[in-house]
Amino acid sequence: MRNKNSVLAIASILLTACGGGGGSSGGNETKDPDNSAGGSAISQLEISTGTLTKAAASLDLIQYPAELGVLSISAPNLLGSANEKLISCNGDTHYDPKTITIEASRLTQKKWSNGDQITIDFPSDCQLPGLYYPVSGRMTMTIAMAGSSSEKISHAEYHIDTSQLSQTYTDDANNTYTINLDGRLTANIDVDGTGKTTLQMSSDSAQPFTLANYYRLENYNYSGSWNEQDAKYSITTNARIALLADNKYVDIKTNNPITGQIGEQPSTGSISITGKNNTYLNLVSDSNGMVNVIGKGSDFLFSIAEN
C-alpha cells in the first residue's frame, strides 16, 4: 500500500483522537530486544490506546519487503546489457547526490540466466520514496529461474537476501539508532504481451524478514500488478507481524485489493490490522484519495479520515 503518508503519521492522529498515550514504533522500542522471546509462546496483541502505535507500525513494516522487492525485480531491466547502473535514492529525475549502485555478476556476457547475481548497494541514509525510514547497506538477489536468456526479462524467479541491510532511526530526543534488517524473500515476476506486470512475493519460513529483534514478518504474501495500458495498479498483501519484545503478534489482511492510478494514492481497497478480542484498525481508501480509518480497541472506538 504505497501511500504518501506513513501509517505512523495516521497513528499519531489516532492517538490524538483517542486522548493520546502509550506505545511506540518499532525503532523506539523500550524493552531489551535481546530478551525478546522470553522462551514463552507468543500470543495475540490486544489493541488499545497504549498499544495503538505499535499496531499501526506493523503496517509500516510490511511496506519494506514490498518496496525492496519492486526495486529488485526492476534491476535486471534497468541494467539491460550493462554490468553497472546508478539510480537516485529519491526515485525522481532531479539531481540527487545519493545514488544506488546496481551491479551484475553474469554467467553469460550481456544475457541473463539462472544463477546470475545482482547486488544493490545503498549509500548511507538512502531515503526510498515508499519507506518511512532511510536504509543503508547491500541487498543481493539471485536469479533462480530466468524465463528468457536476453537483456530483458519477462518472466523470472528471484531469491532476495536483505541480511546486509540496515535502517536508520532517529527518536524524539534526536538520538540516532541503526537497526538491522534481515530476511530472505522469493519473488516471481511476469510481464505479458499487453504491458501488464505481475509480482508475487513470499517470505522464507526459515529466515523470515526481521527488523532487528523487534518485529518479524511471518506468513508474508504479496501480490501486485501494474498495467501500462490503463496506468492502474492493484495490490494485495497479508502477513502476521510478531512484536518480539512484547511476545505478541497482530495479523494484517487485505480485505479488498488496493487499487488506483500508477503514481497516485489508492482510490479503492481496504486493509485491516486485527488483534485479540476483536480489536482492530481498518484502513479504507476512497475515490477522493482519502484514507478512512476505523478503529476498535479495548478502550476506544473511532472513525476518522486522512488525506
Side-chain angles (χ1 to χ4, degrees):
M1 192 172 183
R2 302 180 67 179
N3 291 330
K4 296 176 184 176
N5 296 326
S6 168
V7 176
L8 292 177
I10 295 176
S12 177
I13 296 170
L14 300 185
L15 286 171
T16 303
C18 294
S24 64
S25 69
N28 197 29
E29 184 62 66
T30 56
K31 293 187 178 182
D32 180 5
D34 292 331
N35 297 322
S36 56
S40 58
I42 192 169
S43 59
Q44 195 168 22
L45 177 75
E46 184 168 14
I47 300 174
S48 65
T49 302
T51 62
L52 180 58
T53 310
K54 288 182 180 181
S58 67
L59 189 54
D60 197 68
L61 170 66
I62 206 172
Q63 294 188 88
Y64 274 84
E67 292 293 333
L68 295 172
V70 168
L71 175 60
S72 296
I73 60 99
S74 66
N77 290 345
L78 284 171
L79 283 165
S81 62
N83 287 325
E84 183 178 278
K85 179 78 173 181
L86 302 179
I87 61 173
S88 65
C89 283
N90 60 22
D92 62 27
T93 57
H94 301 293
Y95 174 73
D96 185 352
K98 293 188 176 183
T99 55
I100 300 168
T101 303
I102 304 174
E103 290 185 292
S105 175
R106 306 174 196 257
L107 299 176
T108 304
Q109 188 177 13
K110 295 186 178 181
K111 292 183 178 181
W112 297 112
S113 56
N114 297 352
D116 286 354
Q117 282 198 333
I118 297 173
T119 58
I120 303 176
D121 289 312
F122 299 88
S124 177
D125 297 337
C126 179
Q127 184 64 68
L128 298 175
L131 299 183
Y132 194 70
Y133 298 117
V135 296
S136 306
R138 169 174 288 189
M139 182 166 62
T140 304
M141 56 184 290
T142 303
I143 299 177
M145 182 180 66
S148 61
S149 57
S150 63
E151 295 178 9
K152 300 289 185 179
I153 291 182
S154 59
H155 177 78
E157 178 181 304
Y158 304 116
H159 294 163
I160 303 169
D161 187 342
T162 66
S163 59
Q164 298 181 65
L165 273 184
S166 62
Q167 171 199 75
T168 303
Y169 167 74
T170 302
D171 66 13
D172 294 336
N174 212 30
N175 297 311
T176 300
Y177 304 92
T178 298
I179 300 172
N180 292 331
L181 301 171
D182 190 12
R184 294 182 186 273
L185 300 165
T186 297
N188 287 274
I189 181 175
D190 183 76
V191 183
D192 67 17
T194 68
K196 182 180 180 181
T197 300
T198 303
L199 171 64
Q200 306 279 344
M201 280 196 302
S202 60
S203 57
D204 186 334
S205 59
Q207 191 175 351
F209 192 87
T210 305
L211 180 61
N213 286 327
Y214 296 111
Y215 289 87
R216 184 176 64 235
L217 204 98
E218 301 175 344
N219 302 324
Y220 172 72
N221 286 284
Y222 172 97
S223 177
S225 63
W226 300 265
N227 196 321
E228 294 179 3
Q229 288 190 342
D230 57 12
K232 290 183 178 180
Y233 65 85
S234 177
I235 294 172
T236 299
T237 185
N238 300 290
R240 171 163 291 182
I241 305 292
L243 291 72
L244 300 176
D246 298 289
N247 230 20
K248 302 288 185 181
Y249 71 86
V250 293
D251 288 321
I252 294 178
K253 179 182 179 182
T254 302
N255 304 307
N256 296 293
I258 310 301
T259 66
Q261 294 294 124
I262 294 174
E264 297 181 6
Q265 293 281 72
S267 56
T268 62
S270 65
I271 193 166
S272 62
I273 308 169
T274 58
K276 184 180 178 181
N277 293 330
N278 197 32
T279 55
Y280 59 82
L281 295 173
N282 286 343
L283 286 81
V284 183
S285 298
D286 65 23
S287 58
N288 297 316
M290 301 290 287
V291 178
N292 300 289
V293 186
I294 304 165
K296 178 188 175 185
S298 59
D299 56 356
F300 65 78
L301 181 65
F302 62 79
S303 177
I304 63 172
E306 171 69 6
N307 58 16

